[in-house]
Amino acid sequence: MKKKYSCLFSLLSILFISACNKQLREEPHSILTPEFFATTQGFQRGLDAAYAGTRNLWGTQNLFTMTVIGTDEFYTGKDGNNDINKYNSNYNTSNGTVAAIWKECYTNINTCNGVIEYAPKVTGLSDEQKGKNVAEAKFLRANFYFLLVQFWGDVTLNRNFQATPVTSSTRTPLAEVYDFIIQDLNDAIAEPALPLSPKSAGVLPGKATRTAAWHVLAKVYLARAGSSAKKPDDYKNAYLNAMEAINKSGLSLLPDFAQVFAEGNEASNEVIWTVQHTSNLAYNGPNNSGGSDNVLNHMWVPKYEDVGGMKRDVLYGRPYIRCVPTPWLTEVAFGERVNDTRYNKTFQTVWYSNNAASIPKWTAPLPPGAPAGAVVGQPKFSVGDTAIFMPGKPATPAQIAASRYLLMPPNNYNISLSPYMKKYNDTKRADMNYPSVRPVIVYRLAETYLVAAEAAFMGGAGATDALQNINIVRRRAAYPNANPAVMDVAAIPSLDFILEERSRELCGELTRWLDLVRTNKLIDRVKTKNYNPEAAANIKEFHVLRPIPQAQIDGVTTGPAYPQNPGW
């Protein structure tokens, strides 16, 4: 790519952590080189390094920022950034978040290239094992390139391993990169040694499978269909590959939506692919905001500790307050809460007191409507009682004043305290400040159904196929209703309805910005419909692509200048 590649190969060092630095210095193959890739050890460790690299994307604050905020779902919380979320003048080509994602994708692509390119030279392994490793590397490479094209459009297509830095580079047309991604995924699917699904015998958590490749391939076709590189059969191919994953994987939706993100349930029968994280601190870091840490447990946590009767703890988490839900998300997308149970299974709206020292006391005069037993000078509640409650419906000032606890109706939500998106909560950490040790669920079967529904709705299959797939997801949302068909819709009125269903099902799952760009709805939903007034004030048409990092442009010193995206 450019000069930065002189440091790309340090990625593998995490796989060689030992008891002392001396042992690391004595191991010359802690750097990926062509010679090392051609060995049995290097071939396997190169693949391990590519898998390890996924932890620098899924779970990090960088990918969270690039996919969650500045959409119709979330806007900037009290401690959020003042640039990329708001599409303002601070968001420019030198943005560090954007540069980090670009670098990580190309770092890991180069590692995958090494595994794929040098596989024929490896001895001591069966052709079956080599074929499996190559298929896994192609799956990973496809994922990295898929992120790149969705964020930046035309990007550099590196097909081969780069052992030395280069100072010249060009951008490859989007259509060619999409063809390359699709070929990688089809190659992985065609490899007999690649396991069918995460439930196949001997498949370790986080490993590539044919089911995962089908799922990604369906998403790739769906994304290409909404791009300038679209082909006539993209929606059809998206539908067919989604149905392959649904019908052949042996996976199924969990009966209860609440169990999908339950701690310890990351390898459930619904999960297609995860990125693994670990409680071994030696493999984490370098801190609690970047590197390989899974910090998704912190991102949505509000400032609950400022409320009487509360203090920070592991159960309720460390409040980074990077974002808060838009009124559209909580009050419109999740507006139906009688039959659809997903709102209360997605958001935390109650906090129980954990701090006796700060419990508020009744003051004179007692407010009208104060509960029986209220006594001036006495605590309003005890430890373990409700300290904060967000009922999700209006409350009068008198009702708020008379409440024992902090009663917060929707009109009182603010950038410090509002419903908390709790899918990534992690109560098993040793310390409140620690990152999460949970694997990140990247792909799951409910999304596969929604991909199939969207592809069918857009012409890839019939209206009945679209309806059937979306209703399967909606019926699960009714649990424990004995009549789940109460959630069925008789027709899908628009693409917006599908996007709203994706919000209800996939809220916070690192897909939203990509979904809105893919469907050409980012500007419409953020600005025209004004679902995110903060972002609407600044967003422009060119923001549907991220800026090429300035470091990339500056690093191309030989040949033609590296082109920037329009508007930046």
Side-chain angles (χ1 to χ4, degrees):
M1 275 291 298
K2 60 190 185 80
K3 290 181 180 178
K4 71 182 180 185
Y5 274 125
S6 62
C7 63
L8 291 187
F9 314 124
S10 62
L11 174 65
L12 190 60
S13 63
I14 64 172
L15 300 173
F16 290 83
I17 292 172
S18 61
C20 65
N21 289 333
K22 180 180 178 182
Q23 185 173 350
L24 281 176
R25 288 196 299 269
E26 290 178 349
E27 172 53 81
H29 293 144
S30 62
I31 295 177
L32 295 175
T33 65
E35 295 78 15
F36 189 45
F37 268 123
T39 68
T40 301
Q41 183 187 44
F43 182 60
Q44 182 57 56
R45 289 190 172 178
L47 181 61
D48 292 343
Y51 273 111
T54 62
R55 294 169 52 232
N56 287 2
L57 291 163
W58 288 277
T60 66
Q61 184 168 204
N62 289 327
L63 191 59
F64 156 84
T65 302
M66 291 270 278
T67 56
V68 171
I69 321 176
T71 66
D72 51 1
E73 290 186 348
F74 293 95
Y75 68 103
T76 307
K78 183 177 185 296
D79 291 335
N81 70 63
N82 184 36
D83 44 55
I84 192 171
N85 304 351
K86 302 175 182 179
Y87 304 96
N88 61 20
S89 59
N90 296 323
Y91 175 29
N92 54 47
T93 62
S94 297
N95 184 274
T97 296
V98 174
I101 297 298
W102 176 277
K103 176 185 175 183
E104 289 301 333
C105 286
Y106 277 111
T107 298
N108 292 295
I109 285 168
N110 199 50
T111 305
C112 292
N113 286 346
V115 174
I116 296 163
E117 185 173 337
Y118 290 97
K121 299 182 180 180
V122 176
T123 59
L125 287 178
S126 66
D127 289 342
E128 179 182 28
Q129 184 61 52
K130 289 197 288 185
K132 179 175 178 293
N133 282 20
V134 168
E136 291 181 51
K138 287 188 174 184
F139 169 81
L140 294 174
R141 184 169 69 178
N143 275 275
F144 300 134
Y145 269 124
F146 190 34
L147 284 178
L148 287 170
V149 294
Q150 290 177 99
F151 284 133
W152 286 282
D154 297 348
V155 294
T156 300
L157 180 57
N158 290 336
R159 295 177 172 86
N160 303 110
F161 180 70
Q162 291 180 289
T164 58
V166 295
T167 58
S168 62
S169 188
T170 59
R171 295 178 68 176
T172 306
L174 184 65
E176 188 175 340
V177 185
Y178 264 120
D179 285 344
F180 188 79
I181 294 168
I182 289 168
Q183 186 62 57
D184 263 358
L185 291 168
N186 278 322
D187 287 349
I189 291 166
E191 172 52 57
L194 190 67
L196 173 62
S197 87
K199 297 301 178 183
S200 299
V203 176
L204 296 174
K207 282 288 192 174
T209 64
R210 276 179 280 160
T211 295
W214 278 318
H215 177 92
V216 178
L217 187 53
K219 293 190 67 170
V220 168
Y221 278 121
L222 199 62
R224 188 171 73 172
S227 77
S228 61
K230 62 185 176 183
K231 294 186 179 181
D233 57 354
D234 278 343
Y235 286 121
K236 176 182 177 181
N237 285 328
Y239 177 78
L240 292 175
N241 279 281
M243 296 311 297
E244 289 284 276
I246 290 167
N247 293 327
K248 294 183 178 179
S249 65
L251 301 179
S252 60
L253 298 187
L254 299 183
D256 183 2
F257 178 81
Q259 292 303 307
V260 176
F261 280 85
E263 291 181 66
N265 213 24
E266 296 86 4
S268 76
N269 209 45
E270 181 169 335
V271 174
I272 294 174
W273 188 57
T274 58
V275 166
Q276 297 296 297
H277 288 264
T278 174
S279 58
N280 187 335
L281 296 183
Y283 289 84
N284 290 335
N287 54 57
N288 217 11
S289 296
S292 301
D293 287 335
N294 176 6
V295 294
L296 296 179
N297 57 304
H298 296 316
M299 295 294 102
W300 286 268
V301 179
K303 206 167 179 57
Y304 62 90
E305 79 272 24
D306 285 353
V307 176
M310 297 301 302
K311 64 180 179 180
R312 291 187 181 187
D313 66 8
V314 172
L315 176 64
Y316 291 131
R318 179 179 174 180
Y320 272 37
I321 333 169
R322 293 295 190 262
C323 66
V324 292
T326 63
W328 173 82
L329 181 64
T330 56
E331 307 312 307
V332 179
F334 283 98
E336 202 287 287
R337 301 173 193 174
V338 175
N339 297 313
D340 193 332
T341 66
R342 287 174 291 188
Y343 175 76
N344 288 318
K345 294 171 181 178
T346 298
F347 293 98
Q348 180 174 326
T349 56
V350 180
W351 283 257
Y352 297 104
S353 175
N354 62 0
N355 184 19
S358 67
I359 293 175
K361 297 178 180 180
W362 292 107
T363 58
L366 288 175
V375 177
V376 172
Q378 293 299 307
K380 289 186 173 183
F381 50 81
S382 301
V383 169
D385 292 340
T386 300
I388 308 169
F389 178 45
M390 302 174 185
K393 59 184 180 181
T396 67
Q399 289 172 321
I400 294 170
S403 176
R404 291 183 180 273
Y405 44 79
L406 176 62
L407 180 64
M408 288 191 71
N411 60 297
N412 283 355
Y413 298 162
N414 55 66
I415 60 173
S416 293
L417 190 61
S418 60
Y420 157 49
M421 205 295 296
K422 62 183 181 180
K423 290 180 178 178
Y424 301 104
N425 195 21
D426 188 341
T427 63
K428 305 298 190 295
R429 295 167 296 130
D431 182 87
M432 177 189 65
N433 296 316
Y434 280 10
S436 177
V437 300
R438 296 180 62 182
V440 176
I441 298 173
V442 180
Y443 304 129
R444 59 186 179 91
L445 195 65
E447 188 190 24
T448 321
Y449 280 109
L450 294 176
V451 168
E454 183 179 334
F457 176 79
M458 296 300 290
T464 301
D465 301 305
L467 203 59
Q468 179 180 353
N469 282 288
I470 204 167
N471 279 337
I472 286 171
V473 175
R474 289 179 58 82
R475 284 176 204 143
R476 193 263 296 276
Y479 181 89
N481 195 316
N483 179 28
V486 70
M487 283 292 293
D488 281 1
V489 291
I492 299 174
S494 65
L495 183 57
D496 281 300
F497 179 83
I498 294 175
L499 284 171
E500 289 162 12
E501 192 61 35
R502 287 184 69 89
S503 279
R504 289 184 281 270
E505 182 68 27
L506 305 172
C507 175
E509 296 181 38
L510 311 182
T511 68
R512 191 60 177 182
W513 192 89
L514 301 171
D515 290 341
L516 295 183
V517 169
R518 168 176 56 76
T519 55
N520 297 300
K521 291 284 188 176
L522 179 66
I523 306 297
D524 175 57
R525 295 181 69 84
V526 168
K527 187 177 183 69
T528 307
K529 291 185 171 66
N530 201 31
Y531 291 156
N532 184 341
E534 172 191 81
N538 302 306
I539 195 169
K540 296 179 173 60
E541 291 292 336
F542 70 83
H543 285 127
V544 298
L545 290 176
R546 302 301 192 185
I548 300 295
Q550 193 63 44
Q552 167 65 37
I553 292 174
D554 294 344
V556 176
T557 58
T558 304
Y562 201 85
Q564 179 58 269
N565 276 327
W568 291 100

